Amino acid sequence: AAVPARLWGGRSRCTGHLELLFAGTWGSVCAEGWDPAAAKVLCRQLGCGRPRLVPAPCGPMAADASPVVLQQVQCTGQEPALENCVLQPGHPSSCPTDR
């Protein structure tokens, strides 16, 4: 199943805060495993080229924005889109916001 992704709040469609549409709800990603490989897949999915900045997945911005829909992401960086990665839905039991 496709997992629509969007970036909002930035100066262009390729910058901003990441949200994914999961079970009919747009939510933020505060996920273990969000790393440069996952960012590379996201940028490929959005047609945005190579990622320049990979924000902390559990920064205060992510924690305060919208309900968290993903607690774990595992990408190799070769996937064509995020739905091809291993995604574990749900809210993390502990979301560190001080990184």
Side-chain angles (χ1 to χ4, degrees):
V3 179
R6 70 182 182 189
L7 293 169
W8 63 272
R11 287 192 297 265
S12 75
R13 69 178 188 85
C14 291
T15 62
H17 172 78
L18 170 63
E19 287 194 330
L20 298 180
L21 184 61
F22 242 84
T25 303
W26 284 101
S28 46
V29 175
C30 179
E32 287 179 60
W34 186 263
D35 58 11
K40 187 175 172 186
V41 174
L42 170 70
C43 290
R44 181 180 298 128
Q45 177 175 340
L46 295 176
C48 289
R50 299 177 66 157
R52 283 197 299 258
L53 174 68
V54 180
C58 288
M61 199 173 153
D64 293 343
S66 48
V68 175
V69 292
L70 266 192
Q71 63 178 355
Q72 191 164 23
V73 178
Q74 288 178 297
C75 298
T76 66
Q78 305 305 312
E79 296 88 351
L82 286 173
E83 61 258 23
N84 303 111
C85 300
V86 177
L87 305 178
Q88 187 178 341
H91 194 288
S93 51
S94 63
C95 182
T97 55
D98 55 356
R99 289 199 280 155

